[in-house]
Amino acid sequence: MATLKVPAHAPPSSEDAEQLRKAFEGWGTNEQMIIDILAYRNAAQRISIRKTYHEAYGEDLLKSLEKELSSDFERVVLLFTLDPAERDAHLVNEATKKPSSSSWVIMEVACARSSKELHYAKKYYHSRYKKSLEEDVAHHFSGDYRKFLVPLVSAYRYEGDEVNLSLAKSEAKILHEKISHKHYNDEEVIRILSTRSRAQLNATFNQYNSSVGNDISKDLKPESKDEFLKLMRDAIKCLTTPEDYFEKVLRQAINRIGTDDSAIIRVVATRAEVDMVRIKEAYQRRNSVLLEKAIAGDTSGDYKRMLLALIGAGDV
């Protein structure tokens, strides 16, 4: 269920490429024209525009955008303009050069994408960076983080709705046994979370809830602050109810002292064509305020206009 409003009869890519070139020329950049084109074209159309632009002007559109734009507006435009697989590869590569908090970015790419999307991201990563995505994740992280993240990015989950109830019961029992003994990083726990389909995991967590009388996320929430357990809880949420997970990322990014623009940009750019409608609904339910109002109150200028266009709000 996408939010992105693509015109019913979008102009040919040659016209879009020409208009973008005009937006870069003259005394000042025409930022509104860039928004009006790129924020309203789907992934296939953006690929076509980039190809046509390169053929016509001998330059990568992304390079032209980098020259003309700056700051958060530049980042959201560039990130959204990328092909989804290219974007995911870029996000993972960028995350492997940052501190351990970047584990959330890796987890999102592993848990919120379909098996096919993750496969394409890994394929592009290999082609672009001359290394495997799994190799870089394994190199960058250590301990429990490596033990958990490498299987997640290596997964190729079944995407169907079929569920094995007896398996759900037995694996719910395994999870409860390991978690009650605080063996959170046990191989069995990681195996279940990193290999089972979303439908199977939902069935397992429902069995866990009925047999234990407690939600698994509550049992993974000890009194002491444990970042690894927080990552594990978020992975479960991202796998089973991605709209609730991304609502939480946006809420925390907006409500903190000093907006976390990188998180807002990442969520909006990666989910605009996927499930932004559901994320907006989850945000309004949780916060009693429209997401577009929250974003408009925390951002400004062309950056604000691009974000609002991508979440399907227009100007606020």
Side-chain angles (χ1 to χ4, degrees):
M1 187 194 291
T3 297
L4 190 67
K5 296 176 181 174
V6 177
H9 301 289
S13 57
S14 56
E15 190 179 316
D16 280 339
E18 186 182 343
Q19 289 302 309
L20 285 168
R21 190 66 174 186
K22 284 180 183 173
F24 304 146
E25 292 170 345
W27 290 106
T29 307
N30 187 338
E31 287 88 354
Q32 190 58 53
M33 189 181 287
I34 293 168
I35 294 168
D36 289 344
I37 295 172
L38 294 177
Y40 297 97
R41 302 294 183 269
N42 63 30
Q45 289 166 337
R46 295 193 306 275
I47 291 168
S48 181
I49 292 166
R50 282 175 66 188
K51 183 172 181 287
T52 306
Y53 187 93
H54 187 267
E55 287 167 355
Y57 306 108
E59 185 173 14
D60 185 345
L61 174 60
L62 296 175
K63 295 288 182 191
S64 296
L65 289 165
E66 276 178 8
K67 286 179 192 171
E68 299 295 327
L69 311 180
S70 62
S71 195
D72 292 323
F73 178 52
E74 176 192 358
R75 179 158 170 78
V76 69
V77 170
L78 288 174
L79 200 57
F80 184 69
T81 304
L82 292 171
D83 169 71
E86 188 181 1
R87 183 195 302 138
D88 284 341
H90 168 77
L91 285 169
V92 171
N93 184 256
E94 190 178 60
T96 60
K97 294 177 168 61
K98 289 183 176 177
S100 59
S101 59
S102 61
S103 52
W104 267 262
V105 178
I106 312 283
M107 180 277 289
E108 280 176 22
V109 171
C111 297
R113 311 309 188 247
S114 69
S115 291
K116 192 179 280 187
E117 287 165 343
L118 182 56
H119 169 73
Y120 286 140
K122 290 193 281 191
K123 194 174 172 184
Y124 182 86
Y125 197 99
H126 193 275
S127 156
R128 171 70 178 81
Y129 302 109
K130 311 306 175 195
K131 286 178 286 186
S132 74
L133 184 150
E134 297 93 329
E135 182 187 349
D136 271 359
V137 170
H139 176 73
H140 181 67
F141 296 97
S142 59
D144 288 345
Y145 288 93
R146 180 194 288 161
K147 194 174 178 183
F148 185 50
L149 291 171
V150 172
L152 280 183
V153 297
S154 305
Y156 198 91
R157 299 173 195 272
Y158 166 64
E159 296 289 342
D161 295 326
E162 278 188 44
V163 163
N164 183 326
L165 276 179
S166 63
L167 181 66
K169 285 177 185 174
S170 67
E171 293 195 330
K173 190 178 175 184
I174 291 169
L175 288 172
H176 180 245
E177 182 190 328
K178 301 298 182 184
I179 290 168
S180 61
H181 288 96
K182 300 188 178 180
H183 296 159
Y184 308 117
N185 64 353
D186 188 274
E187 284 178 9
E188 283 289 89
V189 174
I190 291 169
R191 176 188 62 77
I192 293 166
L193 296 182
S194 63
T195 62
R196 296 304 181 205
S197 71
R198 287 165 176 79
Q200 187 67 36
L201 284 172
N202 271 312
T204 300
F205 299 146
N206 286 337
Q207 288 295 327
Y208 187 103
N209 201 343
S210 4
S211 61
V212 179
N214 224 2
D215 188 89
I216 188 170
S217 291
K218 285 203 172 103
D219 287 346
L220 284 169
K221 198 169 186 175
E223 290 176 21
S224 61
K225 190 176 178 183
D226 187 320
E227 288 296 299
F228 174 69
L229 286 192
K230 183 174 181 289
L231 178 67
M232 195 170 261
R233 288 197 310 274
D234 281 348
I236 289 170
K237 185 175 279 196
C238 195
L239 282 163
T240 55
T241 52
E243 63 273 20
D244 291 338
Y245 168 77
F246 287 111
E247 177 281 320
K248 179 185 170 187
V249 175
L250 288 171
R251 170 169 31 97
Q252 291 179 341
I254 292 167
N255 293 346
R256 58 175 275 173
I257 298 170
T259 309
D260 184 352
D261 288 294
S262 66
I264 293 174
I265 290 166
R266 187 179 77 249
V267 174
V268 171
T270 59
R271 309 311 289 181
E273 296 177 280
V274 184
D275 55 358
M276 187 53 71
V277 168
R278 290 194 291 270
I279 293 168
K280 286 163 68 176
E281 289 167 354
Y283 193 93
Q284 188 172 3
R285 269 198 315 273
R286 176 68 174 72
N287 306 282
S288 302
V289 64
L290 293 170
L291 176 60
E292 36 272 72
K293 288 284 185 189
I295 285 178
D298 241 36
T299 58
S300 61
D302 298 315
Y303 170 48
K304 177 182 86 169
R305 283 187 279 278
M306 182 70 179
L307 289 174
L308 293 177
L310 290 179
I311 68 169
D315 211 342
V316 175

